[in-house]
Amino acid sequence: MSSAAAPKHELYWEDFTPGRVFEHGPRVLPRAEMVEFAAEFDPQPMHLDERAAVETMLGGLAASGWYLCCILMRMCVDAFVGRAASMGAPGVDEVRWLMPVRPDDALSLRATVLETRASKSRPDMGFVKFKFEMLNASGAVVMILESSVMQRRREA
């Protein structure tokens, strides 16, 4: 049995200062991937069928918001979580889908540290509150998600 080496962390709680911004992208959202996700997890007409989608309030085929949440998570891992001493998250405070995302749109991530606080019950951990924004190629914000992330402390 082989043992994998523990990942080397570059970012700890102390490195996430209010106002710090992490960016990643763009990532193109292929039509086939969007529809495949919707078929499995969010099978509504506006996410599956071009003709049916025209009749919905979105006015055409659009990505599922839950698909966008998954894309956001992947982009966060690529931007900073993959090299951080992350300990997970206690939940999501808010998620808002502000405008439709269409097939083959290219989205970018902007993650801004809003605040940090040390854990009162766990001296080895702190909380980092983020505002995550997904932007389309025109720079319009298409989705906002606010959440706190638990990070290991370097100084613990």
Side-chain angles (χ1 to χ4, degrees):
M1 182 194 304
S2 66
S3 64
K8 183 177 183 205
H9 303 299
E10 298 173 25
L11 298 168
Y12 289 83
W13 177 78
E14 293 84 356
D15 299 309
F16 294 92
T17 54
R20 185 167 184 184
V21 176
F22 296 88
E23 295 179 308
H24 190 74
R27 183 188 193 282
V28 174
L29 307 182
R31 182 189 192 285
E33 184 180 278
M34 288 173 55
V35 172
E36 184 179 331
F37 179 93
E40 180 72 17
F41 301 107
D42 193 358
Q44 298 184 71
M46 69 282 265
H47 305 315
L48 292 172
D49 180 84
E50 200 80 50
R51 282 190 216 128
V54 171
E55 301 300 321
T56 70
M57 65 182 270
L58 298 180
L61 193 64
S64 163
W66 301 113
Y67 170 72
L68 296 178
C69 287
C70 293
I71 297 300
L72 181 141
M73 186 65 232
R74 178 63 210 217
M75 292 177 87
C76 285
V77 170
D78 292 343
F80 67 91
V81 172
R83 56 194 173 93
S86 176
M87 300 172 76
V92 172
D93 298 326
E94 177 179 22
V95 62
R96 291 192 179 272
W97 301 296
L98 304 174
M99 60 190 310
V101 172
R102 305 296 183 192
D104 301 316
D105 277 357
L107 298 185
S108 296
L109 168 73
R110 180 170 55 217
T112 305
V113 177
L114 298 178
E115 61 187 50
T116 63
R117 69 175 174 83
S119 172
K120 292 181 178 118
S121 61
R122 299 228 4 220
D124 64 327
M125 181 177 84
F127 294 91
V128 180
K129 185 172 185 176
F130 281 95
K131 178 179 185 180
F132 298 103
E133 298 168 291
M134 297 288 281
L135 299 92
N136 66 18
S138 301
V141 177
V142 299
M143 178 180 142
I144 295 172
L145 187 147
E146 287 194 14
S147 177
S148 291
V149 177
M150 299 176 292
Q151 296 288 337
R152 186 169 313 284
R153 294 179 69 181
R154 183 183 290 119
E155 307 297 324

